[in-house]
PDB file of all heavy atoms in Angstrom:
ATOM      1  N   VAL M  99      54.499 -66.709 185.791  1.00 98.00           N
ATOM      2  CA  VAL M  99      54.842 -66.088 184.503  1.00 98.00           C
ATOM      3  C   VAL M  99      54.508 -66.984 183.375  1.00 98.00           C
ATOM      4  O   VAL M  99      54.703 -68.241 183.442  1.00 98.00           O
ATOM      5  CB  VAL M  99      56.327 -65.763 184.442  1.00 98.00           C
ATOM      6  CG1 VAL M  99      56.705 -65.147 183.115  1.00 98.00           C
ATOM      7  CG2 VAL M  99      56.755 -64.807 185.572  1.00 98.00           C
ATOM      8  N   ILE M 100      53.835 -66.446 182.344  1.00 98.00           N
ATOM      9  CA  ILE M 100      53.440 -67.232 181.208  1.00 98.00           C
ATOM     10  C   ILE M 100      54.170 -66.666 179.970  1.00 98.00           C
ATOM     11  O   ILE M 100      53.948 -65.603 179.569  1.00 98.00           O
ATOM     12  CB  ILE M 100      51.897 -67.235 180.945  1.00 98.00           C
ATOM     13  CG1 ILE M 100      51.186 -67.719 182.184  1.00 98.00           C
ATOM     14  CG2 ILE M 100      51.546 -68.037 179.733  1.00 98.00           C
ATOM     15  CD1 ILE M 100      50.816 -66.698 183.207  1.00 98.00           C
ATOM     16  N   ASP M 101      55.043 -67.444 179.414  1.00 98.00           N
ATOM     17  CA  ASP M 101      55.774 -67.133 178.262  1.00 98.00           C
ATOM     18  C   ASP M 101      55.016 -67.352 176.971  1.00 98.00           C
ATOM     19  O   ASP M 101      54.730 -68.585 176.697  1.00 98.00           O
ATOM     20  CB  ASP M 101      57.122 -67.890 178.203  1.00 98.00           C
ATOM     21  CG  ASP M 101      57.909 -67.676 176.890  1.00 98.00           C
ATOM     22  OD1 ASP M 101      57.485 -66.819 176.071  1.00 98.00           O
ATOM     23  OD2 ASP M 101      59.001 -68.321 176.752  1.00 98.00           O
ATOM     24  N   VAL M 102      54.485 -66.338 176.373  1.00 98.00           N
ATOM     25  CA  VAL M 102      53.716 -66.499 175.123  1.00 98.00           C
ATOM     26  C   VAL M 102      54.481 -66.130 173.894  1.00 98.00           C
ATOM     27  O   VAL M 102      53.928 -66.246 172.759  1.00 98.00           O
ATOM     28  CB  VAL M 102      52.354 -65.720 175.130  1.00 98.00           C
ATOM     29  CG1 VAL M 102      51.426 -66.319 176.088  1.00 98.00           C
ATOM     30  CG2 VAL M 102      52.572 -64.247 175.539  1.00 98.00           C
ATOM     31  N   GLY M 103      55.711 -65.669 174.030  1.00 98.00           N
ATOM     32  CA  GLY M 103      56.459 -65.274 172.865  1.00 98.00           C
ATOM     33  C   GLY M 103      57.817 -64.504 173.118  1.00 98.00           C
ATOM     34  O   GLY M 103      58.173 -63.597 172.340  1.00 98.00           O
ATOM     35  N   VAL M 104      58.544 -64.946 174.174  1.00 98.00           N
ATOM     36  CA  VAL M 104      59.871 -64.383 174.397  1.00 98.00           C
ATOM     37  C   VAL M 104      60.804 -64.981 173.367  1.00 98.00           C
ATOM     38  O   VAL M 104      60.722 -66.105 173.042  1.00 98.00           O
ATOM     39  CB  VAL M 104      60.323 -64.641 175.811  1.00 98.00           C
ATOM     40  CG1 VAL M 104      61.731 -64.046 176.110  1.00 98.00           C
ATOM     41  CG2 VAL M 104      59.294 -64.149 176.826  1.00 98.00           C
ATOM     42  N   LEU M 105      61.747 -64.149 172.810  1.00 97.00           N
ATOM     43  CA  LEU M 105      62.618 -64.576 171.807  1.00 97.00           C
ATOM     44  C   LEU M 105      63.427 -65.753 172.252  1.00 97.00           C
ATOM     45  O   LEU M 105      63.577 -66.736 171.490  1.00 97.00           O
ATOM     46  CB  LEU M 105      63.606 -63.445 171.425  1.00 97.00           C
ATOM     47  CG  LEU M 105      63.013 -62.370 170.520  1.00 97.00           C
ATOM     48  CD1 LEU M 105      64.048 -61.260 170.315  1.00 97.00           C
ATOM     49  CD2 LEU M 105      62.607 -62.896 169.224  1.00 97.00           C
ATOM     50  N   THR M 106      63.952 -65.760 173.493  1.00 95.00           N
ATOM     51  CA  THR M 106      64.679 -66.891 174.019  1.00 95.00           C
ATOM     52  C   THR M 106      63.975 -67.594 175.066  1.00 95.00           C
ATOM     53  O   THR M 106      63.525 -66.966 176.076  1.00 95.00           O
ATOM     54  CB  THR M 106      66.084 -66.369 174.650  1.00 95.00           C
ATOM     55  OG1 THR M 106      66.770 -65.621 173.595  1.00 95.00           O
ATOM     56  CG2 THR M 106      66.903 -67.514 175.085  1.00 95.00           C
ATOM     57  N   GLU M 107      63.797 -68.878 174.958  1.00 94.00           N
ATOM     58  CA  GLU M 107      62.973 -69.608 175.919  1.00 94.00           C
ATOM     59  C   GLU M 107      63.766 -69.840 177.229  1.00 94.00           C
ATOM     60  O   GLU M 107      64.992 -70.137 177.158  1.00 94.00           O
ATOM     61  CB  GLU M 107      62.616 -70.974 175.345  1.00 94.00           C
ATOM     62  CG  GLU M 107      61.527 -71.744 176.157  1.00 94.00           C
ATOM     63  CD  GLU M 107      61.004 -72.944 175.438  1.00 94.00           C
ATOM     64  OE1 GLU M 107      61.511 -73.199 174.257  1.00 94.00           O
ATOM     65  OE2 GLU M 107      60.080 -73.546 175.940  1.00 94.00           O
ATOM     66  N   SER M 108      63.206 -69.596 178.287  1.00 92.00           N
ATOM     67  CA  SER M 108      63.857 -69.676 179.612  1.00 92.00           C
ATOM     68  C   SER M 108      63.890 -71.075 180.107  1.00 92.00           C
ATOM     69  O   SER M 108      63.119 -72.010 179.701  1.00 92.00           O
ATOM     70  CB  SER M 108      63.150 -68.784 180.645  1.00 92.00           C
ATOM     71  OG  SER M 108      63.157 -67.436 180.235  1.00 92.00           O
ATOM     72  N   ALA M 109      64.820 -71.307 181.065  1.00 93.00           N
ATOM     73  CA  ALA M 109      64.875 -72.663 181.710  1.00 93.00           C
ATOM     74  C   ALA M 109      63.606 -72.919 182.500  1.00 93.00           C
ATOM     75  O   ALA M 109      62.958 -71.992 182.973  1.00 93.00           O
ATOM     76  CB  ALA M 109      66.118 -72.688 182.630  1.00 93.00           C
ATOM     77  N   ALA M 110      63.330 -74.183 182.624  1.00 95.00           N
ATOM     78  CA  ALA M 110      62.093 -74.560 183.312  1.00 95.00           C
ATOM     79  C   ALA M 110      62.176 -74.113 184.786  1.00 95.00           C
ATOM     80  O   ALA M 110      63.193 -74.079 185.440  1.00 95.00           O
ATOM     81  CB  ALA M 110      61.955 -76.073 183.296  1.00 95.00           C
ATOM     82  N   HIS M 111      60.969 -73.701 185.286  1.00 96.00           N
ATOM     83  CA  HIS M 111      60.821 -73.178 186.643  1.00 96.00           C
ATOM     84  C   HIS M 111      59.396 -73.535 187.121  1.00 96.00           C
ATOM     85  O   HIS M 111      58.455 -73.360 186.275  1.00 96.00           O
ATOM     86  CB  HIS M 111      61.169 -71.761 186.719  1.00 96.00           C
ATOM     87  CG  HIS M 111      61.313 -71.237 188.146  1.00 96.00           C
ATOM     88  ND1 HIS M 111      60.244 -70.956 188.941  1.00 96.00           N
ATOM     89  CD2 HIS M 111      62.440 -71.067 188.945  1.00 96.00           C
ATOM     90  CE1 HIS M 111      60.656 -70.608 190.108  1.00 96.00           C
ATOM     91  NE2 HIS M 111      61.917 -70.570 190.190  1.00 96.00           N
ATOM     92  N   PRO M 112      59.149 -73.895 188.292  1.00 96.00           N
ATOM     93  CA  PRO M 112      57.793 -74.080 188.764  1.00 96.00           C
ATOM     94  C   PRO M 112      56.783 -72.938 188.563  1.00 96.00           C
ATOM     95  O   PRO M 112      55.591 -73.162 188.438  1.00 96.00           O
ATOM     96  CB  PRO M 112      57.961 -74.430 190.306  1.00 96.00           C
ATOM     97  CG  PRO M 112      59.338 -74.908 190.457  1.00 96.00           C
ATOM     98  CD  PRO M 112      60.125 -74.130 189.376  1.00 96.00           C
ATOM     99  N   SER M 113      57.371 -71.709 188.556  1.00 97.00           N
ATOM    100  CA  SER M 113      56.543 -70.496 188.424  1.00 97.00           C
ATOM    101  C   SER M 113      56.417 -69.994 187.019  1.00 97.00           C
ATOM    102  O   SER M 113      55.830 -69.043 186.759  1.00 97.00           O
ATOM    103  CB  SER M 113      57.028 -69.325 189.392  1.00 97.00           C
ATOM    104  OG  SER M 113      56.971 -69.688 190.714  1.00 97.00           O
ATOM    105  N   LEU M 114      57.016 -70.742 186.085  1.00 98.00           N
ATOM    106  CA  LEU M 114      56.970 -70.392 184.693  1.00 98.00           C
ATOM    107  C   LEU M 114      56.203 -71.358 183.862  1.00 98.00           C
ATOM    108  O   LEU M 114      56.531 -72.570 183.900  1.00 98.00           O
ATOM    109  CB  LEU M 114      58.448 -70.293 184.154  1.00 98.00           C
ATOM    110  CG  LEU M 114      58.618 -69.981 182.663  1.00 98.00           C
ATOM    111  CD1 LEU M 114      58.050 -68.591 182.296  1.00 98.00           C
ATOM    112  CD2 LEU M 114      60.092 -70.050 182.285  1.00 98.00           C
ATOM    113  N   HIS M 115      55.275 -70.865 183.132  1.00 97.00           N
ATOM    114  CA  HIS M 115      54.470 -71.834 182.237  1.00 97.00           C
ATOM    115  C   HIS M 115      54.753 -71.419 180.723  1.00 97.00           C
ATOM    116  O   HIS M 115      54.718 -70.183 180.430  1.00 97.00           O
ATOM    117  CB  HIS M 115      53.007 -71.625 182.505  1.00 97.00           C
ATOM    118  CG  HIS M 115      52.169 -72.517 181.654  1.00 97.00           C
ATOM    119  ND1 HIS M 115      51.931 -73.866 181.898  1.00 97.00           N
ATOM    120  CD2 HIS M 115      51.436 -72.243 180.531  1.00 97.00           C
ATOM    121  CE1 HIS M 115      51.116 -74.387 180.937  1.00 97.00           C
ATOM    122  NE2 HIS M 115      50.850 -73.393 180.104  1.00 97.00           N
ATOM    123  N   SER M 116      55.009 -72.322 179.954  1.00 97.00           N
ATOM    124  CA  SER M 116      55.268 -72.059 178.477  1.00 97.00           C
ATOM    125  C   SER M 116      54.012 -72.235 177.706  1.00 97.00           C
ATOM    126  O   SER M 116      53.364 -73.267 177.719  1.00 97.00           O
ATOM    127  CB  SER M 116      56.346 -72.977 177.955  1.00 97.00           C
ATOM    128  OG  SER M 116      56.567 -72.714 176.527  1.00 97.00           O
ATOM    129  N   ALA M 117      53.581 -71.129 177.030  1.00 98.00           N
ATOM    130  CA  ALA M 117      52.403 -71.227 176.095  1.00 98.00           C
ATOM    131  C   ALA M 117      52.868 -70.432 174.871  1.00 98.00           C
ATOM    132  O   ALA M 117      52.088 -69.596 174.346  1.00 98.00           O
ATOM    133  CB  ALA M 117      51.180 -70.576 176.745  1.00 98.00           C
ATOM    134  N   ARG M 118      54.022 -70.717 174.365  1.00 98.00           N
ATOM    135  CA  ARG M 118      54.662 -69.933 173.336  1.00 98.00           C
ATOM    136  C   ARG M 118      53.920 -70.043 171.972  1.00 98.00           C
ATOM    137  O   ARG M 118      53.624 -71.122 171.499  1.00 98.00           O
ATOM    138  CB  ARG M 118      56.099 -70.361 173.104  1.00 98.00           C
ATOM    139  CG  ARG M 118      57.041 -70.070 174.307  1.00 98.00           C
ATOM    140  CD  ARG M 118      58.389 -70.730 174.199  1.00 98.00           C
ATOM    141  NE  ARG M 118      59.157 -70.263 173.065  1.00 98.00           N
ATOM    142  CZ  ARG M 118      59.841 -69.175 173.040  1.00 98.00           C
ATOM    143  NH1 ARG M 118      59.793 -68.322 174.091  1.00 98.00           N
ATOM    144  NH2 ARG M 118      60.502 -68.810 171.924  1.00 98.00           N
ATOM    145  N   VAL M 119      53.563 -68.872 171.406  1.00 98.00           N
ATOM    146  CA  VAL M 119      52.874 -68.809 170.152  1.00 98.00           C
ATOM    147  C   VAL M 119      53.876 -68.718 169.024  1.00 98.00           C
ATOM    148  O   VAL M 119      53.822 -69.418 168.014  1.00 98.00           O
ATOM    149  CB  VAL M 119      51.897 -67.597 170.147  1.00 98.00           C
ATOM    150  CG1 VAL M 119      51.285 -67.491 168.739  1.00 98.00           C
ATOM    151  CG2 VAL M 119      50.855 -67.774 171.191  1.00 98.00           C
ATOM    152  N   ARG M 120      54.913 -67.840 169.204  1.00 97.00           N
ATOM    153  CA  ARG M 120      56.043 -67.633 168.260  1.00 97.00           C
ATOM    154  C   ARG M 120      57.051 -66.882 169.028  1.00 97.00           C
ATOM    155  O   ARG M 120      56.759 -66.292 170.037  1.00 97.00           O
ATOM    156  CB  ARG M 120      55.598 -66.973 166.949  1.00 97.00           C
ATOM    157  CG  ARG M 120      54.952 -65.646 167.062  1.00 97.00           C
ATOM    158  CD  ARG M 120      54.698 -64.944 165.762  1.00 97.00           C
ATOM    159  NE  ARG M 120      55.907 -64.293 165.318  1.00 97.00           N
ATOM    160  CZ  ARG M 120      56.411 -64.403 164.106  1.00 97.00           C
ATOM    161  NH1 ARG M 120      55.812 -65.119 163.137  1.00 97.00           N
ATOM    162  NH2 ARG M 120      57.604 -63.753 163.777  1.00 97.00           N
ATOM    163  N   ALA M 121      58.229 -66.774 168.461  1.00 97.00           N
ATOM    164  CA  ALA M 121      59.341 -66.060 169.119  1.00 97.00           C
ATOM    165  C   ALA M 121      59.200 -64.584 168.791  1.00 97.00           C
ATOM    166  O   ALA M 121      59.864 -64.038 167.973  1.00 97.00           O
ATOM    167  CB  ALA M 121      60.691 -66.609 168.662  1.00 97.00           C
ATOM    168  N   GLY M 122      58.334 -63.858 169.531  1.00 97.00           N
ATOM    169  CA  GLY M 122      58.190 -62.473 169.287  1.00 97.00           C
ATOM    170  C   GLY M 122      57.166 -62.147 168.253  1.00 97.00           C
ATOM    171  O   GLY M 122      56.977 -62.920 167.246  1.00 97.00           O
TER     172      GLY M 122
END
Side-chain angles (χ1 to χ4, degrees):
V99 177
I100 300 91
D101 175 3
V102 287
V104 180
L105 282 178
T106 304
E107 192 167 4
S108 299
H111 190 281
S113 295
L114 176 62
H115 180 82
S116 179
R118 295 169 62 80
V119 176
R120 56 174 279 132

